[in-house]
Each structure stands twice: as C-alpha cells, then as structure tokens.
Short mmCIF file of all heavy atoms in Angstrom, two decimals:
data_model
loop_
_atom_site.label_atom_id
_atom_site.label_comp_id
_atom_site.label_asym_id
_atom_site.label_seq_id
_atom_site.Cartn_x
_atom_site.Cartn_y
_atom_site.Cartn_z
N GLY A 190 222.71 11.35 29.48
CA GLY A 190 223.74 12.39 29.94
C GLY A 190 224.82 12.53 28.93
O GLY A 190 225.21 13.59 28.56
N ALA A 191 225.25 11.46 28.46
CA ALA A 191 226.49 11.44 27.58
C ALA A 191 226.06 12.23 26.32
O ALA A 191 226.83 13.01 25.71
CB ALA A 191 226.97 10.03 27.19
N ILE A 192 224.87 12.02 25.71
CA ILE A 192 224.37 12.61 24.48
C ILE A 192 224.25 14.08 24.72
O ILE A 192 224.66 14.99 23.90
CB ILE A 192 223.16 12.01 24.03
CG1 ILE A 192 223.38 10.54 23.58
CG2 ILE A 192 222.44 12.85 22.94
CD1 ILE A 192 222.00 9.83 23.29
N THR A 193 223.67 14.50 25.99
CA THR A 193 223.47 15.85 26.26
C THR A 193 224.90 16.65 26.50
O THR A 193 224.94 17.67 25.88
CB THR A 193 222.71 15.99 27.68
OG1 THR A 193 221.46 15.30 27.49
CG2 THR A 193 222.37 17.42 27.98
N TRP A 194 225.80 15.99 27.10
CA TRP A 194 227.07 16.60 27.17
C TRP A 194 227.86 16.68 25.91
O TRP A 194 228.58 17.80 25.74
CB TRP A 194 227.99 15.82 28.34
CG TRP A 194 227.60 16.20 29.67
CD1 TRP A 194 226.94 15.29 30.62
CD2 TRP A 194 227.77 17.54 30.29
NE1 TRP A 194 226.93 16.02 31.89
CE2 TRP A 194 227.32 17.36 31.68
CE3 TRP A 194 228.34 18.70 29.93
CZ2 TRP A 194 227.36 18.50 32.59
CZ3 TRP A 194 228.33 19.67 30.78
CH2 TRP A 194 227.89 19.52 32.13
N THR A 195 227.74 15.65 25.09
CA THR A 195 228.38 15.80 23.73
C THR A 195 227.81 16.81 22.88
O THR A 195 228.58 17.64 22.29
CB THR A 195 228.21 14.43 23.09
OG1 THR A 195 228.66 13.32 23.76
CG2 THR A 195 228.83 14.38 21.65
N ARG A 196 226.50 17.01 22.90
CA ARG A 196 225.88 18.18 22.19
C ARG A 196 226.37 19.44 22.72
O ARG A 196 226.66 20.43 21.91
CB ARG A 196 224.30 18.03 22.22
CG ARG A 196 223.80 16.79 21.42
CD ARG A 196 222.40 16.85 21.57
NE ARG A 196 221.69 15.77 20.62
CZ ARG A 196 220.40 15.37 20.69
NH1 ARG A 196 219.63 15.93 21.59
NH2 ARG A 196 220.00 14.47 19.89
N PHE A 197 226.41 19.55 23.99
CA PHE A 197 226.91 20.69 24.66
C PHE A 197 228.31 21.16 24.18
O PHE A 197 228.63 22.30 23.97
CB PHE A 197 226.80 20.67 26.18
CG PHE A 197 227.22 21.84 26.99
CD1 PHE A 197 226.62 22.97 26.93
CD2 PHE A 197 228.54 21.88 27.67
CE1 PHE A 197 226.99 24.09 27.67
CE2 PHE A 197 228.90 22.90 28.39
CZ PHE A 197 228.27 24.03 28.34
N PHE A 198 229.19 20.15 24.22
CA PHE A 198 230.63 20.25 23.71
C PHE A 198 230.60 20.80 22.37
O PHE A 198 231.35 21.76 22.03
CB PHE A 198 231.32 19.03 23.96
CG PHE A 198 232.67 19.03 23.27
CD1 PHE A 198 233.75 19.81 23.63
CD2 PHE A 198 232.89 18.13 22.11
CE1 PHE A 198 234.85 19.80 22.94
CE2 PHE A 198 233.99 18.08 21.53
CZ PHE A 198 235.16 19.06 21.87
N ARG A 199 229.92 20.12 21.46
CA ARG A 199 229.97 20.47 20.04
C ARG A 199 229.42 21.85 19.71
O ARG A 199 229.88 22.56 18.87
CB ARG A 199 229.26 19.48 19.22
CG ARG A 199 229.81 18.04 19.17
CD ARG A 199 229.14 17.03 18.41
NE ARG A 199 229.88 15.90 18.30
CZ ARG A 199 229.41 14.70 17.68
NH1 ARG A 199 228.14 14.70 17.21
NH2 ARG A 199 230.10 13.61 17.61
N LYS A 200 228.34 22.16 20.42
CA LYS A 200 227.62 23.54 20.24
C LYS A 200 228.34 24.62 20.80
O LYS A 200 228.41 25.65 20.31
CB LYS A 200 226.10 23.34 20.69
CG LYS A 200 225.42 24.63 20.43
CD LYS A 200 224.02 24.40 20.92
CE LYS A 200 223.05 25.79 20.64
NZ LYS A 200 221.73 25.55 20.92
N GLU A 201 228.77 24.41 22.12
CA GLU A 201 229.37 25.57 22.90
C GLU A 201 230.77 25.61 23.04
O GLU A 201 231.41 26.77 23.21
CB GLU A 201 228.79 25.51 24.29
CG GLU A 201 227.11 25.49 24.39
CD GLU A 201 226.67 26.81 24.00
OE1 GLU A 201 227.34 27.89 23.95
OE2 GLU A 201 225.38 26.83 23.68
N HIS A 202 231.51 24.50 22.90
CA HIS A 202 232.90 24.53 23.31
C HIS A 202 233.80 23.78 22.27
O HIS A 202 234.97 23.37 22.66
CB HIS A 202 233.09 23.77 24.70
CG HIS A 202 232.44 24.58 25.85
ND1 HIS A 202 233.04 25.72 26.31
CD2 HIS A 202 231.32 24.32 26.44
CE1 HIS A 202 232.22 26.25 27.28
NE2 HIS A 202 231.16 25.39 27.41
N ARG A 203 233.33 23.56 21.07
CA ARG A 203 234.14 22.72 20.11
C ARG A 203 235.64 23.63 19.96
O ARG A 203 236.61 22.90 19.75
CB ARG A 203 233.50 22.73 18.81
CG ARG A 203 234.34 22.04 17.68
CD ARG A 203 233.50 22.00 16.44
NE ARG A 203 232.37 21.22 16.44
CZ ARG A 203 232.40 19.93 16.17
NH1 ARG A 203 233.55 19.36 15.81
NH2 ARG A 203 231.27 19.20 16.22
N ASN A 204 235.59 24.86 19.95
CA ASN A 204 236.87 25.54 19.70
C ASN A 204 237.33 26.27 21.14
O ASN A 204 238.31 27.18 20.97
CB ASN A 204 236.55 26.67 18.64
CG ASN A 204 236.19 26.16 17.42
OD1 ASN A 204 236.72 25.24 16.90
ND2 ASN A 204 235.14 26.73 16.74
N ASP A 205 236.90 25.83 22.12
CA ASP A 205 237.33 26.26 23.48
C ASP A 205 238.51 25.57 23.82
O ASP A 205 238.47 24.26 24.04
CB ASP A 205 236.21 26.08 24.50
CG ASP A 205 236.56 26.88 25.83
OD1 ASP A 205 237.66 27.05 26.12
OD2 ASP A 205 235.45 26.97 26.59
N ARG A 206 239.59 26.30 24.06
CA ARG A 206 240.92 25.57 24.49
C ARG A 206 240.81 24.87 25.91
O ARG A 206 241.39 23.86 25.93
CB ARG A 206 242.00 26.68 24.74
CG ARG A 206 242.57 27.09 23.38
CD ARG A 206 243.29 25.91 22.51
NE ARG A 206 244.28 25.31 23.42
CZ ARG A 206 244.77 24.03 23.13
NH1 ARG A 206 244.33 23.37 22.01
NH2 ARG A 206 245.76 23.61 23.84
N GLN A 207 239.91 25.30 26.74
CA GLN A 207 239.73 24.56 28.01
C GLN A 207 239.11 23.34 27.86
O GLN A 207 239.08 22.44 28.75
CB GLN A 207 238.94 25.52 28.98
CG GLN A 207 239.71 26.71 29.45
CD GLN A 207 238.91 27.45 30.48
OE1 GLN A 207 237.84 27.11 31.00
NE2 GLN A 207 239.43 28.74 30.96
N TRP A 208 238.40 23.13 26.85
CA TRP A 208 237.68 21.88 26.46
C TRP A 208 238.49 20.94 25.37
O TRP A 208 237.95 19.91 24.93
CB TRP A 208 236.13 22.10 26.03
CG TRP A 208 235.36 22.44 27.06
CD1 TRP A 208 235.27 23.57 27.84
CD2 TRP A 208 234.25 21.65 27.58
NE1 TRP A 208 234.28 23.58 28.69
CE2 TRP A 208 233.61 22.39 28.58
CE3 TRP A 208 233.80 20.41 27.22
CZ2 TRP A 208 232.51 21.93 29.30
CZ3 TRP A 208 232.66 19.82 27.92
CH2 TRP A 208 232.05 20.66 28.95
N ALA A 209 239.60 21.40 25.08
CA ALA A 209 240.41 20.67 23.96
C ALA A 209 240.76 19.36 24.27
O ALA A 209 240.97 18.44 23.39
CB ALA A 209 241.53 21.57 23.52
N ALA A 210 240.80 18.94 25.67
CA ALA A 210 241.33 17.72 26.07
C ALA A 210 240.23 16.60 26.05
O ALA A 210 240.55 15.47 26.28
CB ALA A 210 242.02 17.85 27.52
N LEU A 211 239.09 16.96 25.89
CA LEU A 211 237.97 16.01 25.90
C LEU A 211 238.13 14.77 25.18
O LEU A 211 238.10 13.72 25.57
CB LEU A 211 236.62 16.79 25.76
CG LEU A 211 235.32 15.84 25.96
CD1 LEU A 211 234.22 16.67 26.57
CD2 LEU A 211 234.87 15.19 24.67
N PRO A 212 238.34 15.01 23.79
CA PRO A 212 238.54 13.77 22.90
C PRO A 212 239.71 12.89 23.38
O PRO A 212 239.48 11.70 23.39
CB PRO A 212 238.68 14.41 21.53
CG PRO A 212 237.99 15.73 21.51
CD PRO A 212 238.36 16.25 22.90
N SER A 213 240.93 13.64 23.69
CA SER A 213 242.07 12.86 24.03
C SER A 213 241.80 12.12 25.35
O SER A 213 242.30 10.93 25.55
CB SER A 213 243.19 13.75 24.13
OG SER A 213 243.56 14.42 22.99
N ALA A 214 241.14 12.74 26.31
CA ALA A 214 240.85 12.02 27.63
C ALA A 214 240.03 10.71 27.40
O ALA A 214 240.21 9.64 28.01
CB ALA A 214 240.18 13.04 28.55
N LEU A 215 239.01 10.91 26.48
CA LEU A 215 238.19 9.75 26.22
C LEU A 215 238.93 8.70 25.56
O LEU A 215 238.84 7.48 25.87
CB LEU A 215 237.01 10.14 25.35
CG LEU A 215 235.92 11.06 26.04
CD1 LEU A 215 234.88 11.63 25.20
CD2 LEU A 215 235.34 10.28 27.28
N ILE A 216 239.77 8.98 24.60
CA ILE A 216 240.49 7.94 23.78
C ILE A 216 241.54 7.21 24.80
O ILE A 216 241.76 6.00 24.58
CB ILE A 216 241.25 8.69 22.70
CG1 ILE A 216 240.32 9.21 21.62
CG2 ILE A 216 242.36 7.75 22.13
CD1 ILE A 216 241.01 10.09 20.47
N LEU A 217 242.00 7.90 25.79
CA LEU A 217 243.02 7.49 26.63
C LEU A 217 242.27 6.61 27.79
O LEU A 217 242.93 5.65 28.36
CB LEU A 217 243.95 8.42 27.35
CG LEU A 217 244.87 9.07 26.52
CD1 LEU A 217 245.48 10.34 27.16
CD2 LEU A 217 246.06 8.09 26.05
N SER A 218 241.06 6.87 28.11
CA SER A 218 240.42 6.17 29.26
C SER A 218 239.37 5.14 28.86
O SER A 218 239.15 4.05 29.51
CB SER A 218 239.79 7.21 30.12
OG SER A 218 238.78 8.09 29.48
N VAL A 219 238.63 5.38 27.72
CA VAL A 219 237.54 4.40 27.40
C VAL A 219 237.92 3.07 27.16
O VAL A 219 237.53 2.05 27.68
CB VAL A 219 236.68 5.09 26.26
CG1 VAL A 219 235.64 3.99 25.75
CG2 VAL A 219 235.81 6.27 26.79
N PRO A 220 238.87 2.82 26.06
CA PRO A 220 239.37 1.44 25.74
C PRO A 220 239.97 0.76 26.99
O PRO A 220 239.50 -0.47 27.14
CB PRO A 220 240.42 1.61 24.70
CG PRO A 220 240.09 2.88 24.04
CD PRO A 220 239.62 3.89 25.21
N PRO A 221 240.83 1.39 27.88
CA PRO A 221 241.18 0.57 28.99
C PRO A 221 240.08 0.15 29.91
O PRO A 221 240.14 -0.97 30.55
CB PRO A 221 242.14 1.60 29.63
CG PRO A 221 242.64 2.39 28.68
CD PRO A 221 241.59 2.60 27.79
N ALA A 222 239.15 1.16 30.04
CA ALA A 222 238.00 0.92 31.00
C ALA A 222 237.21 -0.36 30.47
O ALA A 222 236.76 -1.19 31.28
CB ALA A 222 237.04 2.10 31.04
N ILE A 223 237.00 -0.37 29.15
CA ILE A 223 236.28 -1.51 28.67
C ILE A 223 237.11 -2.89 28.89
O ILE A 223 236.56 -3.96 29.15
CB ILE A 223 235.91 -1.32 27.26
CG1 ILE A 223 234.90 -0.19 27.00
CG2 ILE A 223 235.39 -2.64 26.47
CD1 ILE A 223 234.60 0.28 25.60
#
C-alpha cells in the first residue's frame, strides 16, 4: 500500500498544494513512531 500511494503521489500530486504536506507529515511522525 505504501508503494502504491507513494507512486500515486509522485505521478498525480507532486505539484498539488493540497498534497504538499505529505513529506513534512512523514518526517514529523515516522522517527517518533519508531
């Protein structure tokens, strides 16, 4: 699922402002979760 959603983001929404927060949200949540 993660690979599928990542490809969808890169292909369809890389320059979409509504999706601009995806990298930042992951950076802020992934390391603390681990």
Side-chain angles (χ1 to χ4, degrees):
I192 293 172
T193 302
W194 279 115
T195 300
R196 288 178 175 174
F197 177 70
F198 166 68
R199 290 179 175 176
K200 184 178 180 180
E201 304 287 344
H202 295 285
R203 179 184 292 272
N204 298 317
D205 187 342
R206 283 296 305 162
Q207 291 187 6
W208 283 68
L211 186 144
S213 299
L215 290 173
I216 291 172
L217 289 169
S218 59
V219 170
I223 294 175

